Amino acid sequence: AQSVTQLDSQVPVFEEAPVELRCNYSSSVSVYLFWYVQYPNQGLQLLLKYLSGSTLVESINGFEAEFNKSQTSFHLRKPSVHISDTAEYFCAVREFAAGNKLTFGGGTRVLVKP
Amino acid sequence: DAMVIQNPRYQVTQFGKPVTLSCSQTLNHNVMYWYQQKSSQAPKLLFHYYDKDFNNEADTPDNFQSRRPNTSFCFLDIRSPGLGDAAMYLCATSTAGTSPEQYFGPGTRLTVT
């Protein structure tokens, strides 16, 4: 069975500093990988996804994530954060041909300080 | 814009009083999901519909039921809400094709008094 581990539950970071959110998963089959962002009292918004092809994927607001198959990781990075990036970030995995279910990590709360 | 809509955004109900949360979508996706999310936790899948086929998670309490009268609408019924059912309820959709991501609504925050 698959599982997703987000190693940091909270990450405080100063504005304009870089941030990395770690995500590791376990699965015996190929997977799709996602990062979702959740602002307070909002639903989850898809930030970026890895389906196939290039292992480095980027979002329109400066985030990027790299799929590392050998390390079963999908870490999220941003070189320079803004106050508006304060949110909870969830890594999620869906196994190929295993139905439609997502398995979520426990979430990482990012607090950007001025 | 195509989207997932949840009404109401905030719902207050009394202990033991049945409550229904609604979700609609304009994406024409054939899969719809209901999640429960408690504070500082990941969303927990309650059940999902693949077209009209209902799929219940093994650990979803019987107190939670769902209906999907057509492609666009899906309802979550809580028959006898307890204090422990206070949470954010998220509806999501996906298409059973080459795009495996799920699209979430804004959520309904349920308070039980």
Side-chain angles (χ1 to χ4, degrees):
Chain A
Q2 61 190 11
S3 66
V4 181
T5 301
Q6 292 183 240
L7 295 166
D8 306 297
S9 59
Q10 292 190 61
V11 174
V13 57
F14 286 105
E15 194 174 17
E16 298 184 5
V19 70
E20 179 180 74
L21 309 184
R22 295 176 292 170
C23 173
N24 288 89
Y25 68 93
S26 64
S27 176
S28 57
V29 300
S30 298
V31 296
Y32 303 113
L33 296 156
F34 308 91
W35 276 99
Y36 284 87
V37 58
Q38 186 176 33
Y39 300 101
N41 287 313
Q42 297 291 322
L44 276 68
Q45 299 175 28
L46 181 65
L47 189 59
L48 43 73
K49 61 187 177 185
Y50 171 78
L51 305 183
S52 64
S54 173
T55 57
L56 183 66
V57 290
E58 299 177 349
S59 72
I60 58 173
N61 55 355
F63 284 94
E64 65 179 30
E66 186 159 19
F67 170 51
N68 187 319
K69 187 174 182 179
S70 63
Q71 297 186 6
T72 59
S73 68
F74 191 54
H75 301 331
L76 180 70
R77 302 182 185 92
K78 188 171 185 179
S80 176
V81 296
H82 302 292
I83 295 288
S84 59
D85 293 323
T86 294
E88 184 120 27
Y89 293 80
F90 290 98
C91 182
V93 167
R94 177 180 157 183
E95 290 183 334
F96 280 23
N100 305 290
K101 295 184 190 179
L102 288 178
T103 299
F104 285 93
T108 298
R109 185 174 300 275
V110 173
L111 175 60
V112 181
K113 303 176 181 180
Chain B
D1 286 342
M3 55 174 51
V4 181
I5 302 160
Q6 290 188 245
N7 286 306
R9 294 293 314 280
Y10 299 90
Q11 176 74 56
V12 180
T13 191
Q14 292 178 340
F15 182 94
K17 184 175 181 180
V19 65
T20 295
L21 309 182
S22 71
C23 176
S24 64
Q25 53 129 342
T26 61
L27 297 160
N28 203 33
H29 284 170
N30 54 346
V31 191
M32 294 187 77
Y33 311 78
W34 279 106
Y35 290 87
Q36 179 192 65
Q37 186 182 26
K38 295 191 175 180
S39 182
S40 300
Q41 295 183 22
K44 177 180 180 297
L45 182 64
L46 296 173
F47 25 61
H48 74 279
Y49 276 93
Y50 189 122
D51 293 320
K52 292 187 176 182
D53 292 333
F54 178 70
N55 299 272
N56 198 31
E57 293 300 297
D59 57 353
T60 297
D62 292 340
N63 197 26
F64 291 86
Q65 304 285 319
S66 186
R67 296 169 283 136
R68 188 179 186 186
N70 54 53
T71 300
S72 301
F73 285 86
C74 196
F75 300 98
L76 170 62
D77 301 308
I78 308 176
R79 293 192 296 187
S80 181
L83 298 179
D85 296 327
M88 174 76 93
Y89 289 89
L90 297 167
C91 175
T93 72
S94 72
T95 181
T98 56
S99 297
E101 61 266 36
Q102 292 184 15
Y103 296 85
F104 285 79
T108 295
R109 181 165 295 284
L110 179 68
T111 299
V112 182
T113 61

